[in-house]
Amino acid sequence: MAIRSTLIAALMMSVSSCAFINTTGNIPATNETPSSVVEEIASPLPGGIELVESFTPAEGEIGIPYTKYLMPNGLTIVLHEDKSDPLIHTDITYHVGSGREEAGKSGFAHFFEHMMFQGSNNVADEEHFKTISEAGGTLNGSTNSDRTNYYETIPSNQLEKILWLEADRMGFFLDAVTEEKFENQRETVKNERGQNYDNRPYGLLRERVGEALYPEGHPYSWSTIGYIEDLNRANLNDLKKFFSRWYGPNNATLTIGGDIDKTQTLEWIAKYFGSIPRGPEVKAPEYIPVTLDADRYISMEDKVALPLIYMSIPTVYARHPDEAPLDVLMSIMGEGRTSLLYKNLVKEGLAVQASAGHGCAELMCNFTLLALPNPASGKSLSDMDKILRDSIKEFETRGVEDDDLERVKAGIVSGMIYGLESVSGKVSQLAFYETFTGSPNYTSKDIERYSNVTKEDVMRVYNQYIKDKPAVVMSIVPEGQPDAIAAPDTWTMYERTIPEEDNTEELEVRYATDDFDRSIKPAAADFNPTVKLPDMWTSNLENGVDILGAINTETPTTALQIRIEAGERQQTLDNLGIASLTANMLSEATEMSTNEELSNRLAKLGSSIGISSGARFTTITVHSLTENIDETMAIVKERLLHPKFDEADFKRIKEQTLQGIEQRKTQASAIASGIFTLLTYGQDTPSAHPSLGTKETVSAITLEDAKNFYADHYTAGAASIIAVSDLSQDELTSTLGALSDWTGDNNITPPSFNYPTLEAGTLYLIDKEGAAQSEIRIGKRALKYDATGEYFKSGIMNYPLGGAFNSRININLREDKGYTYGARSRFSGSDVKGLFTASAGVRTDATADSIVQFVNEITGYYENGITEEELAFTKSAIGQSDALDYETPFDKLGFLSQIVTYDLPEGFTDEQSEILQNLTKEEVDALAKKHLNLDDMIMVVVGDKAVIEDDLKALGYPIVELDYDGLPIPAPQRPKLD
């Protein structure tokens, strides 16, 4: 196909002009004012809303059209129209994160993210989740050091309801906060910390580095989640004061994008947000440079399989003029397979992982280097420390090459374009830019500042910020190996100074006055979003490979997958892991090119190629700007048809795989899920074992084995292609024709299974000494996948039990009891097997009662069935969510994959909709009776046996102790009596 526009080249040379207007009406003479802007200037806006500016990208420019407004109370509004899909994404960002917290009160911003979902004056507890789920939407919130945001994606007829919800928690929150809600969410945050920090390998890395890097009291010297002791010390009034200080409309940006009517949207915003009073004035945080007077070595022991070294050097701050050249330097040092760290550590087999980063926040950036040594190399963390420092020095002689600049610039431009593939991506970008730059129109500036980086800039920032500069160097070593650290500690954590509490400050409560009843929840708009399935087409290559494609003209991008039936099903018990090893080898050198050369070519194209194996398929996933798809496909062809199978590459991949197997044994969640699968499907079922294989099988696999697996299974006869592109069917089929000379028959071996008899009612215990949480799995073998039969209906049946956020299981264990960060149940299945699983990571001291609560909820649903209210909620939630299912190219790829994998007929989605709407309570109850009998299920618990065993025994279940491979541990021999 012909290359279309030279988009990247044009953007590297200059930034295009744009159609732009502000309230003064100054318009560049070379551009016409968009008609929508003219109408808005001519019409009075509701509620005193003021038009600030409107932007439309010029032809060939990357940018997101928007209109920005300001309310009298200071709320900034950014609207973006996108009629391509019947959905809307909303984002309200408050310019407050952990960086606004005070010493001794860490974690408040994140705590508040949780509290804001607990109801307000006119929204009941848990009603926020229920309302959006019932509307067919999704929602969440997030907090970092600099901002907190709350976001929803909804069908386009639900916008007024969302604005009512967001306004109520902005303006009518404090009076609804209770001590009970406060204590419950405090426990939830503790569970989150346990799951994501304390109980996760290397989970405390950044917290410890931040303590050593920043001076005491610096807002980045504590992690966003905060310290447990600060959370324990906090009281309800502290939280209320924090809200009153930071959560006013004048510290917020409301960004809405998608299928909106701007006039109607502004009227709703004026109605629901207009009466909310301003909060205290907010100034931009003050940047104070952070410097170190010498290297600070710190260390800790952790439940890890591999030691780790992490080096952090303070640099500048986000959007500082030197951020971009430092990012280029970071890429040269440790990003991808063209980097110095890859060459010096990973390629040589000295490390299983090595990388660099330059993470930037509002007040500080940090240049980081990381390495995990390969035990087979015999290298220590001390050796890694020296190699990292030598690699930094090597940059001086290597310097900056033209390809370095081209790779980074291409990555920036392609990343911007890929970000336009979803309305959520566009809204998030607009909200981010407005919050941190004061203008949503920063895309061009972002591209420009990277486009203008020179070789001299990179060398200058290296000398100014990195060369011979002190760093915080952290070692994390396996428990019991304190001597394995890189160097003795030279810095010790100070005793934190907790300021005395000022109890004289009065709580400021701001009240709104309305001329309407806020307690009335708005109804959905009086139209139903029309969900349009992707326009699909079928074709095939000359060698018979089938193609299923869909046209997506919203962005100039192409996404595709080549699927080969060469997955775990094709393994035997003797060669577990061969599918994964072989797939990984296709990401290495080819007969014509080194891996570094291919990676360099891909990066300069802004393309990605990922190769991975799963239960049934090995999948080659491609993402490319359409103008570069021919060159990208040439690399795909080279990797697929001409892998080199180099001995050195194989040795390195094999060692990395063996370390990955050991690393899984440090992760309680992975252990629990893996052993549950082994128990339900059986040790004799190859695909029941972890995809990486076992230590014994991987150790025995040879390079010749991988070559043979490739020759036997990587054939055109076992392959199919699914693709989504703005190209026409003929154009894309022509491009994919690059693979027409791929040959080979279909050598697929149908899987056979010999499932074990489940010891139903048994509790299997795996000891993970010192675990901060316990992982629970309850379930059994269940239905195979079908799109319109009993499996599909059972998924609907499970939704109110454990599928929705406000399901019975999650509300009980998370919201009512505070035992977990999240609990759920689900049916999962393929064409040959299926499971029902209920799962959660829970507080160690609540392990036994968590099982009791799971049992109560499953039994209660089994015996009494669904309520009429739950059935109506389920039908509404699942039925209206279709609007969100087909938006992005990868959403469409998922839909196409489902069709190909299960040979689904045309119109199956209509049949699903009909089944959903006609499903009765009697049918749901019958399914619950059939599939949720706890007498058929087993339980798996991974936790600290010394702490939880007695409580588990008190439950009365037979207990069998297993090792990390799922094999029984013999009971200790009793001493013989004389």
Side-chain angles (χ1 to χ4, degrees):
M1 72 173 236
I3 297 295
R4 300 181 182 185
S5 62
T6 55
L7 177 61
I8 291 181
L11 283 162
M12 297 307 173
M13 294 169 60
S14 64
V15 179
S16 306
S17 61
C18 59
F20 190 93
I21 186 165
N22 57 30
T23 51
T24 64
N26 296 324
I27 309 168
T30 56
N31 292 286
E32 296 180 0
T33 308
S35 59
S36 61
V37 173
V38 174
E39 291 168 5
E40 287 166 350
I41 294 171
S43 304
L45 299 176
I49 293 175
E50 214 179 291
L51 172 68
V52 178
E53 62 190 31
S54 190
F55 167 78
T56 302
E59 185 175 353
E61 180 185 11
I62 300 175
I64 305 168
Y66 69 86
T67 313
K68 175 181 171 181
Y69 308 88
L70 186 66
M71 294 192 76
N73 60 7
L75 178 66
T76 299
I77 304 160
V78 180
L79 302 183
H80 162 70
E81 285 188 283
D82 177 356
K83 302 291 186 180
S84 58
D85 293 285
L87 55 85
I88 292 171
H89 187 81
T90 67
D91 177 294
I92 188 157
T93 297
Y94 295 90
H95 197 169
V96 54
S98 57
R100 303 277 197 180
E101 296 163 351
E102 301 172 21
K105 295 183 177 180
S106 65
F108 274 34
H110 175 258
F111 196 166
F112 230 95
E113 178 206 319
H114 283 254
M115 291 299 298
M116 290 275 273
F117 287 103
Q118 298 308 301
S120 46
N121 279 7
N122 303 293
V123 181
D125 191 17
E126 312 308 337
E127 186 69 21
H128 202 106
F129 284 100
K130 182 179 179 182
T131 296
I132 295 175
S133 297
E134 191 170 24
T138 62
L139 73 158
N140 215 327
S142 69
T143 309
N144 63 28
S145 59
D146 303 320
R147 64 100 186 102
T148 303
N149 73 333
Y150 302 90
Y151 50 92
E152 300 91 5
T153 304
I154 50 171
S156 54
N157 63 339
Q158 301 289 340
L159 178 58
E160 184 183 7
K161 197 178 295 180
I162 302 309
L163 296 175
W164 170 75
L165 286 168
E166 287 292 1
D168 212 65
R169 64 179 173 185
M170 176 188 282
F172 303 87
F173 174 77
L174 287 184
D175 289 345
V177 178
T178 65
E179 192 71 39
E180 182 182 2
K181 293 178 183 179
F182 175 83
E183 292 299 338
N184 175 273
Q185 290 309 305
R186 183 175 3 219
E187 290 304 311
T188 300
V189 172
K190 289 181 183 179
N191 286 321
E192 182 178 357
R193 181 180 169 99
Q195 180 172 314
N196 293 337
Y197 292 76
D198 302 323
N199 206 38
R200 175 172 289 180
Y202 314 109
L204 295 175
L205 168 65
R206 286 177 175 79
E207 180 173 271
R208 298 290 173 85
V209 170
E211 293 167 347
L213 187 65
Y214 299 104
E216 182 179 8
H218 189 287
Y220 291 174
S221 65
W222 52 79
S223 63
T224 300
I225 202 163
Y227 294 109
I228 289 290
E229 57 265 32
D230 289 357
L231 292 171
N232 286 337
R233 193 169 45 248
N235 60 50
L236 186 57
N237 206 49
D238 291 330
L239 265 292
K240 288 185 175 183
K241 287 179 181 178
F242 192 82
F243 176 85
S244 295
R245 176 66 187 90
W246 298 111
Y247 285 80
N250 51 307
N251 195 35
T253 297
L254 173 62
T255 309
I256 305 172
D259 187 11
I260 62 173
D261 177 315
K262 283 205 284 190
T263 301
Q264 177 65 81
T265 299
L266 290 172
E267 289 176 0
W268 284 333
I269 293 172
K271 175 180 179 179
Y272 294 112
F273 289 89
S275 64
I276 301 174
R278 294 177 71 93
E281 292 307 307
V282 177
K283 296 180 180 179
E286 182 183 356
Y287 168 66
I288 301 174
V290 172
T291 57
L292 300 172
D293 54 3
D295 286 331
R296 293 181 175 181
Y297 280 89
I298 59 175
S299 64
M300 67 173 288
E301 297 178 47
D302 197 4
K303 292 178 174 59
V304 295
L306 289 176
L308 172 149
I309 185 170
Y310 184 86
M311 186 179 295
S312 183
I313 304 170
T315 58
V316 290
Y317 55 87
R319 289 163 297 283
H320 183 284
D322 288 340
E323 179 192 8
L326 280 162
D327 282 349
V328 176
L329 174 61
M330 174 273 294
S331 178
I332 296 168
M333 285 300 307
E335 188 175 60
R337 298 181 176 186
T338 58
S339 68
L340 289 172
L341 294 188
Y342 181 83
K343 175 180 74 72
N344 295 340
L345 285 165
V346 180
K347 184 74 172 177
E348 295 298 319
L350 305 182
V352 296
Q353 182 181 338
S355 62
H358 188 231
C360 279
E362 197 167 20
L363 297 179
M364 182 57 62
C365 302
N366 295 291
F367 196 95
T368 59
L369 305 174
L370 174 150
L372 286 83
N374 180 359
S377 71
K379 296 296 183 183
S380 65
L381 288 189
S382 179
D383 297 325
M384 294 291 109
D385 188 6
K386 182 177 186 305
I387 296 171
L388 291 177
R389 295 179 186 275
D390 289 345
S391 297
I392 293 174
K393 293 176 182 176
E394 183 183 346
F395 169 76
E396 288 189 58
T397 55
R398 176 196 183 276
V400 185
E401 300 169 358
D402 291 337
D403 277 358
D404 298 328
L405 299 178
E406 191 174 344
R407 280 196 308 272
V408 173
K409 293 173 183 180
I412 291 293
V413 173
S414 61
M416 294 286 185
I417 296 175
Y418 296 144
L420 304 180
E421 291 180 332
S422 70
V423 67
S424 64
K426 289 183 280 190
V427 165
S428 298
Q429 192 173 115
L430 290 170
F432 176 86
Y433 283 147
E434 171 59 32
T435 300
F436 294 112
T437 74
S439 172
N441 183 36
Y442 202 79
T443 305
S444 296
K445 295 183 182 70
D446 240 354
I447 293 172
E448 184 176 24
R449 66 194 183 110
Y450 284 91
S451 298
N452 291 338
V453 172
T454 66
K455 296 179 181 180
E456 292 73 22
D457 289 331
V458 182
M459 293 304 301
R460 174 181 56 79
V461 297
Y462 165 77
N463 286 302
Q464 183 174 349
Y465 301 104
I466 306 301
K467 182 179 179 181
D468 299 327
K469 293 296 187 290
V472 171
V473 184
M474 182 166 190
S475 302
I476 298 181
V477 296
E479 288 183 327
Q481 300 181 27
D483 296 336
I485 60 177
D489 289 5
T490 60
W491 184 86
T492 303
M493 175 64 178
Y494 46 81
E495 186 173 341
R496 297 174 63 223
T497 303
I498 308 300
E500 287 193 21
E501 185 70 28
D502 179 7
N503 294 316
T504 62
E505 183 183 353
E506 290 292 324
L507 174 66
E508 178 189 350
V509 181
R510 303 178 295 273
Y511 291 101
T513 303
D514 294 307
D515 58 2
F516 68 97
D517 186 354
R518 281 188 183 263
S519 66
I520 300 173
K521 181 194 297 187
D526 57 357
F527 67 89
N528 288 318
T530 303
V531 179
K532 187 175 184 300
L533 295 178
D535 292 324
M536 293 178 286
W537 51 265
T538 59
S539 185
N540 54 66
L541 303 181
E542 293 177 4
N543 56 4
V545 173
D546 291 328
I547 307 169
L548 177 61
I551 296 175
N552 180 71
T553 58
E554 295 170 32
T555 54
T557 61
T558 297
L560 63 91
Q561 289 183 341
I562 303 165
R563 295 146 33 96
I564 309 160
E565 296 225 23
E568 296 152 26
R569 290 186 191 175
Q570 307 306 316
Q571 301 176 152
T572 67
L573 290 173
D574 295 329
N575 69 1
L576 298 173
I578 187 69
S580 176
L581 277 173
T582 306
N584 286 332
M585 287 301 293
L586 265 70
S587 294
E588 297 295 328
T590 68
E591 294 169 345
M592 292 87 89
S593 309
T594 67
N595 195 10
E596 294 82 353
E597 290 169 343
L598 292 175
S599 296
N600 188 43
R601 284 166 58 191
L602 273 176
K604 290 194 294 181
L605 294 171
S607 301
S608 65
I609 300 172
I611 307 175
S612 62
S613 67
R616 180 174 173 183
F617 299 102
T618 288
T619 304
I620 303 174
T621 302
V622 181
H623 203 191
S624 174
L625 302 179
T626 299
E627 65 178 12
N628 295 332
I629 187 60
D630 285 343
E631 294 172 80
T632 303
M633 282 304 301
I635 299 173
V636 171
K637 179 178 181 179
E638 188 173 338
R639 286 205 181 280
L640 175 60
L641 302 187
H642 305 284
K644 186 177 181 180
F645 284 104
D646 180 77
E647 184 70 56
D649 288 342
F650 180 74
K651 179 177 182 293
R652 173 169 36 81
I653 294 295
K654 185 172 172 177
E655 288 172 352
Q656 291 173 345
T657 301
L658 289 169
Q659 293 309 316
I661 292 169
E662 292 305 306
Q663 188 64 25
R664 278 181 56 89
K665 295 178 180 179
T666 68
Q667 301 166 4
S669 178
I671 296 168
S673 296
I675 290 180
F676 176 76
T677 304
L678 274 175
L679 289 170
T680 48
Y681 291 140
Q683 292 275 359
D684 293 336
T685 303
S687 59
H689 292 265
S691 60
L692 291 178
T694 69
K695 180 179 178 180
E696 293 71 25
T697 58
V698 171
S699 297
I701 293 173
T702 67
L703 178 61
E704 200 62 32
D705 293 330
K707 289 180 179 179
N708 291 337
F709 190 85
Y710 169 82
D712 289 341
H713 299 292
Y714 281 65
T715 62
S720 61
I721 300 174
I722 53 176
V724 177
S725 176
D726 61 326
L727 294 174
S728 68
Q729 174 180 343
D730 290 343
E731 288 176 308
L732 189 53
T733 301
S734 176
T735 291
L736 296 174
L739 301 179
S740 290
D741 53 355
W742 184 15
T743 60
D745 297 329
N746 183 342
N747 297 320
I748 301 167
T749 304
S752 60
F753 301 102
N754 184 21
Y755 294 137
T757 300
L758 288 186
E759 297 295 331
T762 301
L763 191 156
Y764 295 91
L765 175 62
I766 299 91
D767 183 21
K768 192 172 191 299
E769 186 179 350
Q773 286 190 312
S774 298
E775 287 287 340
I776 297 172
R777 303 292 184 269
I778 301 172
K780 61 171 187 173
R781 288 193 302 275
L783 296 158
K784 294 187 289 185
Y785 175 90
D786 65 65
T788 54
E790 196 165 326
Y791 173 88
F792 173 69
K793 295 175 184 177
S794 294
I796 299 171
M797 175 268 289
N798 175 70
Y799 191 74
L801 172 65
F805 179 88
N806 57 313
S807 67
R808 295 186 186 187
I809 287 173
N810 196 54
I811 291 297
N812 183 337
L813 274 81
R814 173 181 160 131
E815 300 301 312
D816 293 345
K817 299 292 190 301
Y819 288 169
T820 181
Y821 184 48
R824 61 200 59 82
S825 62
R826 65 191 292 254
F827 286 87
S828 58
S830 69
D831 57 327
V832 292
K833 59 185 181 180
L835 286 177
F836 169 77
T837 314
S839 62
V842 302
R843 270 179 15 214
T844 296
D845 65 345
T847 303
D849 195 50
S850 294
I851 292 174
V852 170
Q853 300 310 318
F854 266 119
V855 169
N856 289 345
E857 295 299 346
I858 295 171
T859 301
Y861 201 65
Y862 167 78
E863 292 178 348
N864 303 313
I866 196 170
T867 67
E868 291 292 353
E869 182 184 2
E870 286 174 328
L871 183 59
F873 163 78
T874 298
K875 289 183 176 184
S876 177
I878 297 176
Q880 295 189 89
S881 66
D882 287 351
L884 283 60
D885 289 346
Y886 316 113
E887 183 192 8
T888 70
F890 278 92
D891 289 336
K892 293 179 173 71
L893 271 186
F895 179 67
L896 299 184
S897 175
Q898 188 181 22
I899 291 172
V900 173
T901 301
Y902 299 109
D903 192 24
L904 300 179
E906 186 177 345
F908 80 94
T909 55
D910 294 333
E911 187 176 349
Q912 287 181 331
S913 297
E914 187 175 346
I915 291 169
L916 174 67
Q917 295 310 317
N918 293 330
L919 201 62
T920 65
K921 171 177 167 51
E922 290 72 25
E923 288 178 285
V924 173
D925 291 352
L927 289 167
K929 280 285 188 186
K930 184 174 181 180
H931 297 293
L932 296 180
N933 188 346
L934 270 165
D935 292 340
D936 299 333
M937 300 184 194
I938 61 171
M939 301 176 184
V940 172
V941 178
V942 178
D944 191 337
K945 174 184 172 183
V947 178
I948 65 178
E949 186 177 28
D950 288 345
D951 288 342
L952 293 178
K953 285 180 178 178
L955 297 178
Y957 299 105
I959 296 178
V960 175
E961 190 173 353
L962 304 176
D963 63 17
Y964 285 0
D965 294 315
L967 300 175
I969 295 176
Q973 292 289 324
R974 293 183 179 180
K976 292 183 179 180
L977 298 177
D978 293 333

